[in-house]
């Protein structure tokens, strides 16, 4: 099982917002921290907002925040919300994905894969975003945040550079 890049970006964004829960964060900040495309991130964040995971505010003083505390955001819920298709093989897709299989009537593989997917999701369902924000992650993501220089500091830096 491999999650899509879309889900990866969603989880990374939520982790970043979880570490910076004391303030609003810009899309640019998240994109720069991870070195990912702002354009891709806009779509991900919009989807997370519709799912009730992220609170977005436009305009001056706007930005992103978690819509609820990190300990109330279930990782399994996020994955289900962001993954379009959890089918491990074509015949497990809701529409059958047009897959004709010789074993379709008596296939045990589909059951085993379904059980494996259930176990995978059970692990994710047992974790919240807060569970993933351990000291190391917090330290790295806090250091990744751009440091906002005071106006006088910025002018001094420009004059000496």
């Amino acid at each position: 099982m491999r999650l899509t890049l879309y889900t990866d970006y969603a989880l990374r964004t939520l982790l970043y917002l979880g570490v910076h829960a004391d303030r609003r964060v810009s899309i640019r900040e998240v994109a720069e921290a991870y070195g990912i495309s702002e354009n891709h991130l806009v779509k991900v964040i919009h989807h997370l907002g519709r799912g009730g995971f992220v609170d977005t505010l436009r305009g001056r003083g706007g930005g992103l925040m978690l819509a609820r505390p990190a300990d109330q955001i279930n990782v399994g819920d996020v994955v289900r919300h962001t993954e379009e298709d959890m089918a491990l093989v074509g015949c497990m897709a809701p529409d059958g994905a047009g897959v004709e299989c010789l074993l379709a009537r008596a296939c045990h593989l589909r059951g085993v894969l379904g059980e494996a997917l259930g176990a995978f999701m059970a692990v994710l369902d047992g974790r919240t975003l807060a569970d993933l924000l351990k000291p190391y992650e917090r330290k790295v993501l806090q250091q990744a945040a751009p440091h906002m220089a005071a106006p006088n500091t910025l002018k001094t830096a420009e004059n000496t550079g």
Side-chain angles (χ1 to χ4, degrees):
M1 170 90 199
R2 183 177 184 144
L3 299 176
T4 61
L5 193 57
Y6 191 89
T7 298
D8 181 24
Y9 286 179
L11 291 168
R12 287 200 243 173
T13 297
L14 293 172
L15 287 168
Y16 193 88
L17 296 179
V19 167
H20 301 284
D22 59 330
R23 64 183 177 87
R24 290 205 174 267
V25 172
S26 71
I27 292 173
R28 173 171 283 155
E29 181 180 335
V30 177
E32 287 178 1
Y34 288 117
I36 58 180
S37 163
E38 278 186 61
N39 291 334
H40 284 38
L41 206 50
V42 167
K43 296 171 191 169
V44 170
I45 289 168
H46 177 70
H47 193 71
L48 287 171
R50 285 187 303 156
F53 299 103
V54 173
D55 176 48
T56 61
L57 181 64
R58 293 182 142 206
R60 190 171 187 87
L64 316 168
M65 291 185 84
L66 293 178
R68 53 188 187 264
D71 64 353
Q72 294 178 18
I73 297 177
N74 181 274
V75 178
D77 291 344
V78 175
V79 170
R80 281 184 194 86
H81 182 72
T82 55
E83 285 293 318
E84 286 185 18
D85 181 6
M86 297 290 286
L88 297 179
V89 290
C91 64
M92 290 177 73
D95 62 1
V99 174
E100 294 291 329
C101 179
L102 176 66
L103 298 173
R105 291 190 178 154
C107 181
H108 293 286
L109 176 61
R110 186 172 38 208
V112 169
L113 292 175
E115 185 179 342
L117 178 60
F120 176 77
M121 292 308 298
V123 170
L124 297 180
D125 287 338
R127 303 295 192 284
T128 67
L129 186 62
D131 294 329
L132 305 179
L133 293 171
K134 302 295 183 191
Y136 175 78
E137 286 81 0
R138 287 185 177 281
K139 180 180 176 186
V140 170
L141 291 174
Q142 285 170 342
Q143 291 173 347
H147 300 287
M148 303 299 178
N152 291 339
T153 307
L154 185 58
K155 286 182 181 177
T156 304
E158 287 174 355
N159 293 337
T160 60

